[in-house]
Amino acid sequence: MGICTQTGVTELNSIPAKRWLQPVISGLATDKELIALFDRNLDTAELLAKDRQYVWHSMVSYHANSQPLIVTGGEGSWIVDSNGERYLDAMSGLYCVNVGYGRKELADAAYEQMMALAYYPLTQSHTPAIRLAEKLSEWLEGDYVIFFSNSGSEANEAAFKMARQYQQQIGESSRYKFISRYRAYHGSSMGALSATGQSQRKYKYEPLSAGFLHVCPPDSYRRPAGQTVEQFNLYCAQAIEDTIIWEGVESVAGVIMEPVISGGGVIVPHQVYLDRVQEICNKHGVLLIIDEVICGFGRSGFKFGYQNFKLKPDIVTMAKGLTSGYLPLSATAVRKDIYDRFKDEEDYGFFRHVNTFGGNPSACALALKNLEIMEREGLVERSRILGQRLEEGMKQLLDHPLVGDIRSFGFLLGVELVTNKATKEPASVDAVKKIIGQCKARGLIIGKNGDTAAGFNNVLTFSPPLSSTDEDLAFILSTFTAVMNEIGDGMPV
Ligand code: PMP
């Protein structure tokens, strides 16, 4: 059935409530559910109608037949919607609510800071930014200086500008290019989107920034026959060096990568890949920028994802889990000796980049409290334990006809769905949506690598709060297994 168009709702606003709701009901739902909802809860129906009229959602097709949850509360790993239905959020929102929902301590930290000093720009300074920067430097286990912004995209934009400027200031003025991997995501703004290796996220927004190049990701599951995982990973790393050489070493400023491609399909490299990437960057004077927007803050079972692989990044970008999503905040951490080169020159030597809200005092105070909670409750270690158990539980599904591969990194897990295990033919977007829908119907929210590269949107993702209880984990496993078994038993996909 069709959906209620925006124009339709506008016109209907002026007519009496029940008639006004009728097209909403017929437009939004093909089943009896929404009609029951009308009787039960007028507010939700009304909110849905207004939502259709006023809110432009992220990543949702206007022709989508589904309706959003109107989420009204959260506690631990669970959210509740306007109908009072509870869901376990095995995606932590968008990979960010690492300490779980409903933490009063975080709200208090923000409130107290707001009452003391609600805002001051970081053209000057304030205590929460100083304390948080010091704490982040400790978590990074290196000598880093921190630049604050509000989102992961902005943190990456700052990193690109810093890298280009740094290269110029050390006399490498022709270096401006960045290399990243296909299937990786680095943000929505024009520079960060240029670094993104997902064609479907770029389609209709191009041309983007010049100087962003892409190479193949170390997707070991799809490696050519006859190659070992190590050989294939070395081959993928070599693609970076080849690109640097073919483009001209003197033209390349940096390489940007997540330690593990997360939202792009949970693509986990072998240690040899990252060892080699580090070596290549060092050898050619190319800065290694590590995007920790998802992998950071305990998600990987370490404080930062790169620590699993003992990398020494030049620049680290982070967001999401920094505040567990409670307030917007991101950061670009830069090695101290790189930062020092911004002091050399009087006129244009400093970083001429301002972010009005970046490092907002309340967001910084909240982030500090967030890190304190993670330390106090041992959530980084908990992530490692929960991740192992999730993986063990999920591996029972490897025999399932639709499950091609299961990959995990700390408490982040991807299930790659295929229609044919021998050919590895990716499962359709419809099959992925169906499984997600079935999980949702049973109270479990899971994610997917949607709209990345055509034909490769077949990975289900799990990234639950690190504070999840044993019961939460059991619920995730039992619900997902039940859905998969039901599908395996002949439900059409
Ligand atoms: N980098 C990575 C790895 C991400 O996953 C994201 C967001 N999903 C970003 C950057 C961009 O972050 P934001 O949406 O906060 O701009």
Side-chain angles (χ1 to χ4, degrees), residues 151-153 156 185-187 258 262 291 293-294 320:
S151 66
S153 304
N156 285 337
Y185 184 74
H186 293 294
E258 297 178 83
S262 52
D291 179 333
V293 170
I294 286 182
K320 298 189 189 271

Side-chain angles (χ1 to χ4, degrees), residues 395-407:
K395 289 243 152 123
Q396 316 292 325
L397 286 168
L398 272 173
D399 290 339
H400 191 285
L402 275 179
V403 176
D405 197 22
I406 293 180
R407 304 181 284 268

Side-chain angles (χ1 to χ4, degrees), residues 160-187:
F160 300 139
K161 287 173 75 176
M162 285 169 182
R164 282 188 179 166
Q165 187 174 350
Y166 166 77
Q167 295 286 14
Q168 293 219 7
Q169 289 179 190
I170 61 166
E172 297 281 339
S173 51
S174 56
R175 288 188 186 260
Y176 71 95
K177 294 175 189 166
F178 293 96
I179 299 171
S180 58
R181 282 93 53 84
Y182 286 111
R183 300 190 63 180
Y185 184 74
H186 293 294

Side-chain angles (χ1 to χ4, degrees), residues 61 81 187 216 229 246 282 325 337 363 397 404 453 463:
S61 155
D81 76 357
C216 58
V229 169
W246 290 333
N282 293 348
D337 59 300
L397 286 168
S463 181

Side-chain angles (χ1 to χ4, degrees), residues 439-461:
C439 287
K440 188 174 165 194
R442 292 169 185 245
L444 175 66
I445 309 274
I446 65 172
K448 64 178 190 312
N449 68 329
D451 295 290
T452 60
F456 289 95
N457 296 308
N458 61 327
V459 182
L460 297 171
T461 53

Side-chain angles (χ1 to χ4, degrees), residues 94-95 150-156 184-189 192 196 201 256-258 260-264 291-295 317 319-320 329-330:
L94 269 183
Y95 301 94
N150 309 295
S151 66
S153 304
E154 288 171 300
N156 285 337
Y185 184 74
H186 293 294
S188 56
S189 51
T196 293
R201 297 291 176 109
I256 180 166
M257 61 174 61
E258 297 178 83
V260 160
I261 293 180
S262 52
D291 179 333
E292 291 276 348
V293 170
I294 286 182
C295 296
T317 61
K320 298 189 189 271
L329 184 66
S330 68

